[in-house]
């Protein structure tokens, strides 16, 4: 039983339990649309992470279906990986460059989706350095609901709860089921996310 994604080279083998990554992006887009945002952007300092790319796909598809203008701000990259996200310090320069690109856009977005709370913390800092007020000058929505990491942010962050504890519990129960049913077909189980609403998304 793989948790949070099947590694490359193991395609077609083993069960997978994790967040429904496409739905994470969809929830973000729908939340921004509900608050009147029509020009939105996806911002992330890595273009090589499979789970985050799925979040982008869900975000883009939902945004376009809602008639929103949607742009993607990521560094150039030519490969994908499902390895863990890198340490926050190594992404600080990249996120600042991407925030500068967002702010310099001809049709500047009114809201950005940063698909991981650990990176959103850096985006808050980059925006503060540039005297851009989150929730007033630019709305921000994130994902993962890492409470210990984001509880000090102001304004409090709107983020997508991927229900990590439920993912862990389901992985354990799936492992017990798989041990009892070794010949059954392999399955992928996606836990549905939900929005935790803060004040980082402005109602337009």
């Amino acid at each position: 039983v793989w948790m949070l994604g099947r590694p490359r080279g193991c395609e077609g083998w083993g069960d997978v339990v994790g967040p429904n990554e496409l739905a994470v992006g969809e929830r973000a887009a729908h939340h921004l649309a509900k608050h009147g945002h029509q020009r939105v952007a996806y911002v992330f300092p890595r273009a090589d992470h499979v789970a985050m790319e799925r979040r982008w796909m869900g975000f883009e598809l939902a945004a376009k279906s809602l008639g929103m203008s949607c742009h993607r701000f990521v560094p150039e990259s030519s490969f994908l990986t499902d390895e863990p996200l890198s340490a926050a310090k190594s992404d600080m320069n990249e996120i600042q460059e991407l925030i500068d690109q967002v702010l310099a856009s001809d049709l500047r977005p009114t809201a950005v989706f940063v698909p991981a709370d650990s990176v959103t913390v850096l985006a808050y800092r980059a925006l503060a350095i540039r005297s851009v007020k989150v929730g007033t000058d630019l709305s921000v929505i994130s994902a993962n609901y890492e409470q210990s990491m984001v509880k000090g942010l102001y304004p409090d962050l709107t983020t997508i709860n991927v229900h990590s504890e439920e993912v862990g519990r389901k992985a354990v129960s799936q492992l017990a089921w798989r041990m009892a049913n070794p010949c059954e077909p392999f399955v992928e189980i996606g836990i549905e996310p939900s929005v935790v609403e803060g004040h980082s998304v402005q109602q337009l």
Side-chain angles (χ1 to χ4, degrees):
V1 175
W2 305 106
M3 189 167 70
L4 305 178
R6 182 186 284 110
R8 283 185 296 173
C10 299
E11 290 82 1
W13 186 83
D15 302 326
V16 179
V17 180
N20 183 336
E21 305 291 8
L22 288 172
V24 171
E26 291 170 359
R27 297 287 192 284
H30 279 275
H31 188 78
L32 295 178
K34 184 177 74 172
H35 285 73
H37 294 273
Q38 288 298 306
R39 298 194 310 275
V40 299
Y42 169 97
V43 177
F44 197 67
R46 286 178 59 177
D48 59 355
H49 195 279
V50 173
M52 299 302 122
E53 282 297 288
R54 292 195 186 111
R55 293 182 184 187
W56 155 245
M57 291 171 58
F59 183 69
E60 181 188 32
L61 288 170
K64 288 184 174 179
S65 72
L66 293 164
M68 304 161 79
S69 169
C70 182
H71 297 281
R72 182 172 179 256
F73 294 86
V74 297
E76 294 292 330
S77 181
S78 60
F79 64 95
L80 294 175
T81 180
D82 47 15
E83 296 173 358
L85 295 178
S86 56
K89 283 185 179 180
S90 65
D91 286 333
M92 190 62 217
N93 290 335
E94 290 88 345
I95 196 68
Q96 293 201 68
E97 291 175 6
L98 296 175
I99 289 297
D100 283 336
Q101 292 175 29
V102 170
L103 299 178
S105 300
D106 291 337
L107 290 175
R108 178 168 154 177
T110 61
V112 296
F113 172 41
V114 185
D117 291 342
S118 59
V119 179
T120 303
V121 171
L122 305 181
Y124 260 61
R125 179 182 175 186
L127 291 168
I129 291 170
R130 289 151 179 79
S131 300
V132 177
K133 295 182 179 179
V134 173
T136 301
D137 302 324
L138 183 70
S139 291
V140 177
I141 188 168
S142 185
N144 287 344
Y145 193 41
E146 298 182 71
Q147 298 179 65
S148 61
M149 184 172 292
V150 304
K151 65 182 179 180
L153 295 180
Y154 178 83
D156 50 313
L157 180 64
T158 296
T159 187
I160 311 297
N161 188 351
V162 297
H163 301 288
S164 298
E165 290 186 6
E166 185 178 349
V167 170
R169 287 194 295 268
K170 185 62 179 177
V172 171
S173 66
Q174 185 63 23
L175 179 59
W177 182 88
R178 175 53 63 192
M179 292 170 69
N181 300 273
C183 297
E184 291 295 321
F186 296 125
V187 298
E188 291 197 21
I189 301 171
I191 304 301
E192 291 301 307
S194 59
V195 177
V196 178
E197 194 162 357
H199 295 92
S200 63
V201 175
Q202 181 185 29
Q203 178 69 53
L204 297 184

